[in-house]
């Protein structure tokens, strides 16, 4: 699933770059397939585990996991 870096950054108060966010997600939650620049934003393509799609499919819930 693709997520907006700027939205995730705003919702989680994350201080790092898009690449650092991708590293955090990969190390703690799910594999990040790609970080792609789109205009002023980055799209982070995350491969969510099948058992977590239901509760991580939105920006708010993924941002909550980044905060944790």
């Amino acid at each position: 699933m693709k997520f907006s870096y700027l939205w995730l950054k705003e919702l989680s108060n994350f201080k790092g770059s898009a690449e650092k966010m991708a590293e955090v997600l990969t190390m703690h939650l799910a594999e990040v397939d790609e970080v792609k620049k789109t205009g002023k934003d980055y799209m982070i393509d995350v491969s969510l585990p099948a058992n977590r799609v239901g509760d991580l499919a939105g920006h708010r819930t993924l941002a909550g996991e980044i905060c944790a």
Side-chain angles (χ1 to χ4, degrees), residues 45-57:
D45 190 7
V46 182
S47 293
L48 296 176
N51 64 332
R52 299 291 311 267
V53 170
D55 63 331
L56 292 177

Side-chain angles (χ1 to χ4, degrees), residues 30-56:
E31 184 177 344
V32 173
D33 295 327
E34 180 181 28
V35 178
K36 183 177 178 182
K37 185 164 177 73
T38 57
K40 295 181 180 181
D41 197 2
Y42 289 88
M43 296 309 290
I44 300 175
D45 190 7
V46 182
S47 293
L48 296 176
N51 64 332
R52 299 291 311 267
V53 170
D55 63 331
L56 292 177

Side-chain angles (χ1 to χ4, degrees), residues 1-67:
M1 296 190 76
K2 296 185 180 186
F3 295 92
S4 164
Y5 163 71
L6 291 178
W7 281 17
L8 291 173
K9 183 178 178 179
E10 181 180 332
L11 291 168
S12 66
N13 293 321
F14 188 79
K15 303 295 184 209
S17 66
E19 289 79 15
K20 183 65 176 171
M21 183 181 286
E23 182 182 325
V24 168
L25 287 169
T26 299
M27 297 303 287
H28 298 285
L29 182 66
E31 184 177 344
V32 173
D33 295 327
E34 180 181 28
V35 178
K36 183 177 178 182
K37 185 164 177 73
T38 57
K40 295 181 180 181
D41 197 2
Y42 289 88
M43 296 309 290
I44 300 175
D45 190 7
V46 182
S47 293
L48 296 176
N51 64 332
R52 299 291 311 267
V53 170
D55 63 331
L56 292 177
H59 278 83
R60 285 183 192 252
T61 53
L62 191 62
E65 290 291 324
I66 292 169
C67 289

